[in-house]
Amino acid sequence: MPSVLLYVAIAALVLYRVVYQQVRGTLLSRRRLTVLPLVLTVVGAYLTLKALPGAPAGELGLLAADLLVLAGLGVLRSTTTTLTERDGTTFQKGSAVTIGLWVLTVAVRIGLLALGTALGVAGPLTSASVALSLGVTIAVQNATTYRRIQRRGLPLAAGRRTAVSR
């Protein structure tokens, strides 16, 4: 039961901090681009490593495919956001395509779980790696966004910034 609560909490955090704020619009900072994906990846790596012993090769392959596909979707999601300068930092706003790619991200994760179940290889590792998968896809999206910010010469604040509704 505690793992279900953890997954619900992670999903709620990601929905608000990432999806909702991207679509609404967010003033970016280095902190905003790094903290959430770092926390998710570290927690996810810990849970994944705990579930790793005894995981069959098929489940390891499923995890590798999951991470690769979700990383690619992170790159795509970044390219669907607009970046402009506002209030001394970069303002990021997502689009309908960004929402669609988030839906696809969730669908891919669920689809890989269903595939693993159908093949008889989904086990504790598949469940334990949810936070890792989310952390990786958000980290890749944010790294791509950071690269876009640098290429365009946009400013990026060092401290905490809040979402805006403009």
Side-chain angles (χ1 to χ4, degrees):
M1 184 61 146
S3 62
V4 172
L5 293 176
L6 176 64
Y7 297 141
V8 169
I10 290 170
L13 178 67
V14 168
L15 277 174
Y16 174 71
R17 291 281 298 173
V18 179
V19 180
Y20 174 72
Q21 287 188 353
Q22 278 179 10
V23 173
R24 182 175 166 202
T26 303
L27 292 171
L28 296 178
S29 67
R30 284 180 179 82
R31 182 176 185 209
R32 177 171 294 283
L33 290 172
T34 57
V35 172
L36 179 63
L38 180 64
V39 169
L40 286 172
T41 303
V42 167
V43 169
Y46 172 76
L47 294 171
T48 299
L49 286 173
K50 279 181 57 174
L52 200 57
E59 193 173 16
L60 293 172
L62 197 64
L63 175 60
D66 180 43
L67 294 175
L68 285 172
V69 171
L70 294 187
L73 287 169
V75 171
L76 289 175
R77 284 192 315 271
S78 174
T79 64
T80 66
T81 63
T82 58
L83 302 173
T84 56
E85 185 175 346
R86 188 180 292 176
D87 298 332
T89 191
T90 299
F91 179 75
Q92 177 186 40
K93 184 158 178 49
S95 65
V97 176
T98 310
I99 295 170
L101 287 170
W102 268 112
V103 169
L104 181 59
T105 299
V106 172
V108 164
R109 181 63 159 113
I110 292 169
L112 285 171
L113 174 61
L115 175 64
T117 301
L119 296 174
V121 296
L125 179 62
T126 303
S127 298
S129 62
V130 170
L132 177 63
S133 295
L134 285 172
V136 166
T137 194
I138 294 168
V140 170
Q141 178 179 350
N142 289 357
T144 304
T145 298
Y146 181 76
R147 191 178 79 220
R148 291 175 59 216
I149 289 167
Q150 295 297 348
R151 282 186 175 164
R152 294 192 48 207
L154 293 168
L156 190 60
R160 169 182 251 162
R161 303 298 271 182
T162 58
V164 295
S165 58
R166 295 183 220 169

